[in-house]
Amino acid sequence: MNGLFANTIIQVIFAGLTIGAVYSLVAVGFSIVYMGTRAINFMQGEYVMIGGVVAGSAYEVWNLPVPACLALAAGAGVLAGVISEAITVRWMRRPSPSGITVATVGLAVVLKAIVMIATDRKTFAFPPFTGDTPIKIGGAALLPQTLWNLGIVVAAAVLLTLFFRYTRAGVTIRASADDAETAKAMGVSLITTVRQSFILAAVLGTIAGASLTPITLISFNSGTLLGLKGFSAAVLGGLGNMYGALASGLIIGLVESIGAGFISSLYSNVIAFAVLLFVLFVKPAGILAKQQGWDHEKK
Amino acid sequence: MKKNNILIFIGFAAFLILAPVISPDQYITSVFVSFCIKIILLTGLNVILGFAGQMSMAHAGFYGLGAYTAGILAVKLSLPPLLALIAAPVAVALVAFVLGLPSLRLHGNYFGMATLGAGMVLYLVFGAARNITGGPNGLMGIPAFSLAGHPFSLKEIYLVIACFALLGLLCINNLSRSHMGFALRALSVSEDGAASVGIDAFRLKLSAFVVSGVFAGFAGGFQTFQSRFITPETFAFFPTVLMIIAIVLGGGGTQWGPVIGALLLTVADELLAVYPDLKPLILGSVFILIVLRFPGGIIGTLGTYMAQRQEKEDPAS
């Protein structure tokens, strides 16, 4: 193996981790809403798109500094979370996991259409958070944005752990995910926990979007495929399993990047979904599950 | 069929066959062609989604597989159009069978996820396999449909498609009233309950999935020969969502649900042809409203309303 080849491998791994970090955040968003509602929130990919579009337009149109753009993206996430929960759960006559899932699909279609009309199909760019001078590691170049994205994933893991373990809101979300009836009997407001999980998922999504936009341009159309890939990661990690989702996002990013670099860049988009099918057929409860989960859904 | 239903069916058949024949306008005929293709497509989706209650998200992918099978066979292998058309449902049925074997053993949401993955793989492969599918630019040079050297005019191919759509509706109507139809509806309510009265849920679901694939394959084959140009975007994630929307709006698991759904999609296509940007906005909003407030769809809500009215008129019951 010569040095050039080693450098290519390192480069491909860096690229995979950068995009994988985004999949991780999306996947963890799917898991959090799944914990709260047992529904699959198809808005998750659109949160990424909103994050990218809001951060990008705040930067390009209003010339705001990068941290302010990030704050705006996070704020848009809170708003998007509140709206999605209100429409898909609160307005539903008899909320059920499948009903909520189907409603989020409809809402995603509507939101995409609104952004398409509002932005006139424009694509948005956003600068790397701290410049783009690469850090030399041997012969390979590491972009600062890669470090940022990985840092965000680590920070998300730490903060989410603290949140779910030590705050009242986090504990009640976990309790109602575990046993909704008992939690309700203990005085937990399920409506509040569901709303909190939507907000959390949406903010993670918009932050993911803002950290993706420095790598690739974002438009109204970018969310769906990202969301579906993040969903594949969530299933790979086991739906509802936070750490599984975080790890699987990075795995999917890496596999995709290696596939694109060494096999075929045309088929790289297919990889995430091939992984999804493989996991569902072989181990549907996810890679971190202890037992086979064929009847996981039936309990 | 009940007497009323027979009359409605005959009336609908007469309308479908006569309307474009009477009208001299090519445009009207082409609208009817797309309406009938949508009826075939949605009738198939109704079998797995409406009757069996399994959220199949591979339907646009199957539709595309049918379209590309017919198109590739006709363009790259120069097969006669009839053979290419017949090969489409065969190919889709095979894929549905192979995909159904593992994925229909999964319960609830997991079947939806597997079909979602499969649909995405199909769509992305249509775009990626450039040397055989033409890639994102689409497959070009598809010949007109012809039989024994006689090329079909738009009206002639329309009549074939319309007869097919009507035949499909009849088949599914018979199926829904057969033992299999009742068993399918039983397992859509409770799989355990159905299994406890001796219904082989897995085999039934697999048959329903293959049947829905056959319909999607025919719809795809017809689409290929009608438009003579296909691109991957027609078979992406959004079209799958649109089909599910149409079934939910029309009323899943009902005989006329897919026809209403197809009518809505066709009308939306034509009305919004000038403002294509508004189509997802309007269809999506109506869809959300229906899911949130009228889960039975148009037919189901009408049925409930009629039943309530009958109860009021007939207090003895």
Side-chain angles (χ1 to χ4, degrees), chain A residues 87 91-93 102 105-107 109-110 121 224-225 231 239 266-267 269 277 280-281 284 294 296-298, chain B residues 103 106-107 109-110 113-114 120-121 124 128-130 192 237-238 241 277 280-281 284-285 287-288 292-293:
Chain A
I87 292 180
W91 286 4
M92 185 166 295
R93 206 169 256 173
V102 174
V105 175
L107 190 59
V109 170
V110 171
R121 295 169 191 262
T224 312
L225 192 59
F231 174 68
L239 261 183
L266 281 176
Y267 286 93
N269 278 332
L277 285 179
L280 284 174
F281 296 158
W294 295 102
H296 179 68
E297 193 64 5
K298 282 175 75 182
Chain B
S103 56
L106 303 167
H107 290 282
N109 282 337
Y110 285 81
M113 297 174 200
M120 287 305 288
V121 168
L124 293 168
R130 289 186 182 168
D192 293 339
F237 180 65
F238 180 60
V241 174
D277 286 3
L281 186 62
S285 311
F287 175 65
I288 295 179
L292 297 183
R293 293 285 150 177

Side-chain angles (χ1 to χ4, degrees), chain A residues 60-77:
Chain A
E60 283 179 14
V61 182
W62 300 320
N63 297 315
L64 292 181
V66 170
C69 296
L70 288 176
L72 268 182

Side-chain angles (χ1 to χ4, degrees), chain B residues 165-212:
Chain B
L166 291 168
L167 201 68
L169 278 175
L170 269 185
C171 289
I172 296 308
N173 181 56
N174 281 346
L175 180 116
S176 82
R177 299 161 58 78
S178 69
H179 182 265
M180 181 180 169
F182 285 108
L184 276 177
R185 263 170 292 183
L187 75 84
S188 81
V189 178
S190 162
E191 221 170 296
D192 293 339
S196 74
V197 293
I199 292 172
D200 185 345
F202 173 70
R203 253 185 74 178
L204 262 179
K205 287 192 291 183
L206 191 58
S207 325
F209 195 44
V210 171
V211 168
S212 90

Side-chain angles (χ1 to χ4, degrees), chain A residues 115-219:
Chain A
V115 175
M116 173 176 81
I117 294 167
T119 61
D120 203 16
R121 295 169 191 262
K122 216 168 102 59
T123 49
F124 293 91
F126 191 55
F129 297 174
T130 48
D132 46 7
T133 329
I135 303 156
K136 288 275 173 203
I137 296 179
L142 173 65
L143 286 173
Q145 193 61 34
T146 304
L147 290 178
W148 272 108
N149 286 12
L150 286 176
I152 289 173
V153 169
V154 173
V158 173
L159 288 176
L160 286 172
T161 305
L162 294 176
F163 173 75
F164 281 114
R165 210 161 276 180
Y166 297 110
T167 68
R168 195 182 166 77
V171 172
T172 52
I173 291 180
R174 271 199 304 146
S176 45
D178 207 36
D179 186 345
E181 288 304 310
T182 312
K184 216 167 158 184
M186 298 291 184
V188 171
S189 160
L190 290 189
I191 288 189
T192 314
T193 58
V194 168
R195 176 188 276 170
Q196 286 163 343
S197 41
F198 266 93
I199 294 177
L200 201 55
V203 172
L204 286 167
T206 51
I207 294 292
S211 31
L212 176 68
T213 321
I215 309 160
T216 163
L217 296 174
I218 289 264
S219 75

Side-chain angles (χ1 to χ4, degrees), chain B residues 135-171:
Chain B
N137 296 329
L139 184 64
M140 279 172 275
I142 299 164
F145 192 79
S146 62
L147 200 57
H150 165 70
F152 275 48
S153 72
L154 181 64
K155 281 217 166 102
E156 284 166 327
I157 186 124
Y158 168 71
L159 286 179
V160 174
I161 298 176
C163 289
F164 223 90
L166 291 168
L167 201 68
L169 278 175
L170 269 185
C171 289

Side-chain angles (χ1 to χ4, degrees), chain A residues 16-17 19-28 31 150 153-154 156-157 160 229-230 232-238 241-255 275 287-288:
Chain A
L17 290 175
I19 185 79
V22 173
Y23 299 155
S24 292
L25 295 175
V26 176
V28 100
S31 283
L150 286 176
V153 169
V154 173
L160 286 172
K229 285 184 186 173
S232 304
V235 175
L236 177 62
N241 185 334
M242 229 172 54
Y243 303 110
L246 287 168
S248 304
L250 293 175
I251 293 174
I252 294 234
L254 278 175
V255 174
V275 171
I287 40 171
L288 292 189

